[in-house]
Amino acid sequence: MDVYGFYTGQLFDAWRYLGVHKADQEGYVFRVYAPHAKRITLIGEFNNWQDWDLHPGYNEQFWEVTVPQAKAGQRYLYKIWHDDHSFTEHCDPYGFGMDLRPAFCSIIRDLSAYQFHDSAWMRRRSTCKDKPLHIYEMHLGSWRQKEEKSKNSVNLNHSEILETDTDPVNFNYNYEEIADLLIPYLKEMGYNYVEFMPLAEYPCDESWGYQSTGFYAPTARYGTADQLKALIDKCHQNQIGVLLDFVPVHFAVDSYGLGRFDGTPLYEYPNDAAGISEWGSYNFIHSRGEIMSFLQSNACYWLEEFHFDGLRMDAISRMIYWYGRPECGVNNKTLEFVKNMNAGLKQRFPSCILCAEDSTNFPDVTTPVEYGGLGFDYKWDMGYMHDTLNFFRTDPLYRYHEPEKLTFSMMYYPSECYLLPFSHDENVHGKATILQKMHGEYEHKFPQARTFYLYNAIHPGKLLDFMGSEFGQLREWDEKRQQDWDMLQYPNHDTFHEFIKKLNHLYLEHSAFYERDYTDGGFDWRDSNQNYPCVYAIQRYSSRESILAVFNFAGAPQESYSIHCDAKKLTVLLDSNADIYGGTAPDSAGTVLEPDENQNFKFSLPAFSAICFQVE
């Protein structure tokens, strides 16, 4: 290992040396970085949990021991001894596997065992700037669950589940099993990427993976590292990209994790004012070179060893500003880490996607590092998300008073490469689901949601939807329960599901939706001045085609709407008011409209409806 690179924060492959690796002869060699430890012992299944001393190596800060009898799949822990002869048990910071919670032993894994079969995908993949990118965000444990959970424990809390079944992982499909359910569904529904919420091992289900204890260990809730590799491999073989939610800001406070790992604040700040996050977790101290190497090696690890196609990086605002608050000033050391990590990842994986969850106005987030930016490919457009949802929450009688909620994003979208996120955060904790956010009674929510999703698709920027939104989930997301798939037996939800499926496939098939998201000439307002009666029209362009979408966001119909367009004809691609999608009229897809002598096209727009046309 390049020790100088490790200490100076330039290393991207620290996991190849630290952690547990096959020895030259037989067994495995265990290595751990603990600069302030006085003594470290190893306990595990291979030595009947007896203390075996590790030996201090380089600079007496790296410790190691070779265990000839150690085998893949065996459990182990480190004991970090203190001056008073007490000790704290810790899992391996670079461990490649961990026990299922509440157990916390590390597990020896042979990362070389699995052989990928996705070389064609890996050669062909890109950052999708001029290609379709529609992401299905999901939590693996609550997308679908095995029948025994839904029948026996739907009303149990987590502690009761543990008392009811000694092997709670049986409630979840493992990584490999879920591939056979998930991949056909994604292809049927027209999503070409899937984003998994954090999969690095974590102790508390309610944290959803955002407070980790095992940054290099795929969570045992869904199986082994090889099974996760198989899931990603199968996705790639079916032309589906896979993104991972990555958490570089903070980590769990559980005593066996990274906190005070060698008896001192090694990974975290030495004082609580900077060291404790708003979520009660420890903040990484990104100014230390060895912590930089730990985190950027971790990012590289997921991309290289598991073939993830990119990382969505959580809480980047907390890395830009102290405490995530602009008034507290820029955290320059952490920003330098972000730039160094992103530049190194793009150098090693040019086609990987790096996406920032950032709600600030900090400039050049998606500008390459060599041009002065932070080096992300995409930034979540949180402002657009909030404004758009607030518009649809508003009573239609008053929407014409607030046109800026729809139009403001068009003024700033060229400044960054934005992704339009309607994520888990907008479907939980009292916020209501996307469908529930639509104004009005149950029946009125569906036509508004159809116009909402068509508007979202035609807006410049790549797309992200959270699981369940595609069939109009009404219950807020709960990590303990699977999605309410039985809603599909109800006509409103089933027809809405069909609408989303059709819209998603149109997005994938028509380049005007995505080719010029981030270049000039891709977007034009065709009608944005009719605040009353709340009708808007957008035209999108690519090098091959043009698409026009017209929206009536009002609760009253527009019987004779007229729009000027330099075209020979307009062909209906999608009508949100079609009866096959839960509307009130026969499906008009394929209908051709011709202009009058003044190049005006006239048609009716029912209340809460939208029509998408091919411009020819």
Side-chain angles (χ1 to χ4, degrees):
M1 184 179 75
D2 176 7
V3 176
Y4 178 78
F6 178 78
Y7 282 119
T8 56
Q10 299 302 313
L11 202 63
F12 279 78
D13 61 351
W15 84 89
R16 298 189 189 281
Y17 178 78
L18 293 164
V20 180
H21 300 272
K22 284 185 176 180
D24 291 338
Q25 300 298 322
E26 59 180 346
Y28 284 81
V29 58
F30 296 73
R31 298 191 187 97
V32 63
Y33 175 68
H36 298 102
K38 301 298 187 292
R39 180 192 180 201
I40 303 179
T41 57
L42 173 69
I43 60 174
E45 292 183 296
F46 38 76
N47 68 358
N48 199 29
W49 303 99
Q50 301 302 305
D51 289 304
W52 286 5
D53 278 285
L54 278 76
H55 313 295
Y58 178 82
N59 205 24
E60 296 190 348
Q61 296 188 349
F62 296 88
W63 301 67
E64 70 174 71
V65 65
T66 299
V67 181
Q69 60 268 52
K71 298 178 182 179
Q74 290 183 320
R75 292 164 171 79
Y76 68 98
L77 284 171
Y78 293 120
K79 284 185 179 179
I80 309 296
W81 293 82
H82 311 305
D83 290 337
D84 62 357
H85 304 293
S86 65
F87 63 83
T88 303
E89 292 182 341
H90 284 277
C91 58
D92 187 347
Y94 287 84
F96 305 139
M98 280 184 71
D99 261 331
L100 176 65
R101 50 87 179 102
F104 55 86
C105 289
S106 294
I107 300 176
I108 301 171
R109 297 290 187 207
D110 178 7
L111 293 178
S112 65
Y114 187 87
Q115 299 298 312
F116 280 91
H117 301 87
D118 62 350
S119 56
W121 167 270
M122 297 297 285
R123 287 194 304 268
R124 196 169 55 244
R125 75 177 185 181
S126 75
T127 58
C128 299
K129 290 293 178 64
D130 61 350
K131 294 180 173 60
L133 177 58
H134 198 169
I135 302 165
Y136 187 74
E137 187 200 22
M138 62 179 292
H139 176 265
L140 264 175
S142 56
W143 184 66
R144 285 190 183 273
Q145 296 171 340
K146 292 184 177 180
E147 287 299 315
E148 56 263 36
K149 177 162 186 179
S150 61
K151 290 179 180 178
N152 300 328
S153 62
V154 66
N155 294 316
L156 300 182
N157 62 36
H158 177 60
S159 61
E160 290 171 329
I161 289 173
L162 289 177
E163 293 172 2
T164 303
D165 193 318
T166 58
D167 187 13
V169 77
N170 281 339
F171 293 153
N172 299 315
Y173 290 99
N174 69 40
Y175 297 112
E176 204 162 8
E177 291 170 336
I178 210 165
D180 296 330
L181 300 173
L182 177 62
I183 292 170
Y185 183 75
L186 294 175
K187 294 178 70 174
E188 175 193 0
M189 290 303 299
Y191 297 99
N192 65 336
Y193 272 72
V194 60
E195 179 182 305
F196 296 126
M197 293 173 67
L199 295 178
E201 192 57 83
Y202 58 101
C204 179
D205 291 0
E206 287 80 1
S207 82
W208 313 330
Y210 291 100
Q211 297 194 24
S212 180
T213 49
F215 278 77
Y216 286 79
T219 178
R221 289 166 175 80
Y222 318 121
T224 67
D226 281 357
Q227 289 172 327
L228 175 56
K229 291 180 179 182
L231 166 59
I232 297 168
D233 199 3
K234 289 180 180 179
C235 284
H236 288 172
Q237 293 175 49
N238 284 275
Q239 313 310 310
I240 296 170
V242 188
L243 307 177
L244 177 66
D245 208 333
F246 179 66
V247 187
V249 176
H250 57 115
F251 58 91
V253 299
D254 298 71
S255 62
Y256 60 84
L258 296 178
R260 300 189 64 85
F261 181 77
D262 63 355
T264 69
L266 177 60
Y267 290 86
E268 68 271 33
Y269 286 87
N271 59 83
D272 287 351
I276 302 296
S277 77
E278 64 193 272
W279 300 285
S281 49
Y282 286 127
N283 286 324
F284 279 109
I285 181 168
H286 299 100
S287 58
R288 297 188 60 169
E290 57 267 51
I291 310 311
M292 296 169 66
S293 292
F294 172 83
L295 284 169
Q296 62 203 22
S297 293
N298 187 224
C300 192
Y301 166 81
W302 293 111
L303 296 174
E304 183 164 329
E305 295 288 351
F306 291 85
H307 288 202
F308 278 102
D309 299 295
L311 304 171
R312 177 266 192 188
M313 298 198 193
D314 181 59
I316 293 302
S317 63
R318 275 67 174 177
M319 303 185 80
I320 295 174
Y321 297 108
W322 286 101
Y323 314 109
R325 291 151 52 186
E327 62 270 24
C328 295
V330 173
N331 188 338
N332 289 306
K333 288 291 186 180
T334 299
L335 269 190
E336 287 305 310
F337 160 69
V338 171
K339 293 177 183 179
N340 185 73
M341 175 173 64
N342 286 350
L345 293 175
K346 295 304 285 188
Q347 180 183 3
R348 291 161 176 81
F349 310 98
S351 61
C352 78
I353 293 173
L354 302 179
C355 188
E357 186 216 9
D358 172 31
S359 57
T360 74
N361 294 322
F362 192 82
D364 298 323
V365 172
T366 57
T367 299
V369 174
E370 58 267 32
Y371 297 113
L374 298 190
F376 289 98
D377 294 293
Y378 298 102
K379 171 180 174 173
W380 277 24
D381 193 343
M382 310 293 276
Y384 162 82
M385 177 269 294
H386 287 299
D387 285 349
T388 306
L389 290 178
N390 283 337
F391 180 85
F392 280 90
R393 287 188 185 99
T394 302
D395 189 317
L397 290 174
Y398 304 107
R399 285 176 181 171
Y400 68 91
H401 286 304
E402 301 177 325
E404 68 279 358
K405 288 181 179 177
L406 284 179
T407 60
F408 179 63
S409 61
M410 304 302 189
M411 299 175 65
Y412 66 78
Y413 86 85
S415 64
E416 299 277 7
C417 295
Y418 283 110
L419 186 148
L420 314 179
F422 294 93
S423 71
H424 64 278
D425 278 329
E426 306 316 313
N427 290 272
V428 75
H429 288 338
K431 296 179 183 178
T433 64
I434 299 299
L435 181 70
Q436 285 282 47
K437 288 179 171 70
M438 302 296 113
H439 185 272
E441 299 300 323
Y442 172 76
E443 293 81 5
H444 294 152
K445 293 182 183 294
F446 290 92
Q448 293 182 83
R450 294 193 294 269
T451 64
F452 162 79
Y453 277 105
L454 180 51
Y455 176 77
N456 190 54
I458 205 74
H459 190 288
K462 306 308 179 184
L463 308 177
L464 180 145
D465 296 325
F466 186 58
M467 63 179 188
S469 300
E470 73 276 13
F471 60 79
Q473 175 87 3
L474 293 172
R475 173 183 56 83
E476 287 185 347
W477 172 55
D478 179 349
E479 72 279 351
K480 299 181 184 68
R481 295 175 57 184
Q482 73 169 4
Q483 297 302 288
D484 293 337
W485 296 103
D486 57 348
M487 299 297 290
L488 288 170
Q489 66 183 298
Y490 299 101
N492 280 336
H493 295 269
D494 181 55
T495 53
F496 183 75
H497 196 233
E498 289 300 314
F499 175 81
I500 296 297
K501 181 194 303 185
K502 178 65 175 178
L503 176 59
N504 289 354
H505 282 283
L506 284 177
Y507 171 81
L508 296 180
E509 295 161 4
H510 288 273
S511 59
F513 280 109
Y514 56 78
E515 186 185 279
R516 293 178 177 170
D517 277 331
Y518 311 112
T519 58
D520 292 337
F523 164 85
D524 189 21
W525 278 115
R526 301 303 301 172
D527 190 347
S528 61
N529 297 316
Q530 295 196 44
N531 300 333
Y532 184 83
C534 215
V535 175
Y536 296 83
I538 293 173
Q539 192 164 354
R540 294 293 306 275
Y541 309 86
S542 72
S543 58
R544 302 185 296 278
E545 65 171 4
S546 177
I547 287 175
L548 173 70
V550 184
F551 304 88
N552 179 13
F553 296 123
Q558 304 302 311
E559 299 295 348
S560 185
Y561 177 74
S562 178
I563 186 170
H564 183 82
C565 187
D566 292 325
K568 294 181 180 178
K569 61 180 180 178
L570 300 179
T571 303
V572 177
L573 292 175
L574 182 62
D575 181 356
S576 75
N577 191 48
D579 51 12
I580 59 172
Y581 306 128
T584 60
D587 185 20
S588 62
T591 300
V592 175
L593 303 183
E594 295 183 350
D596 62 19
E597 63 277 7
N598 297 315
Q599 286 301 119
N600 293 319
F601 291 84
K602 296 181 179 180
F603 48 91
S604 63
L605 283 169
F608 306 134
S609 70
I611 305 178
C612 184
F613 299 97
Q614 180 88 55
V615 179
E616 301 175 73

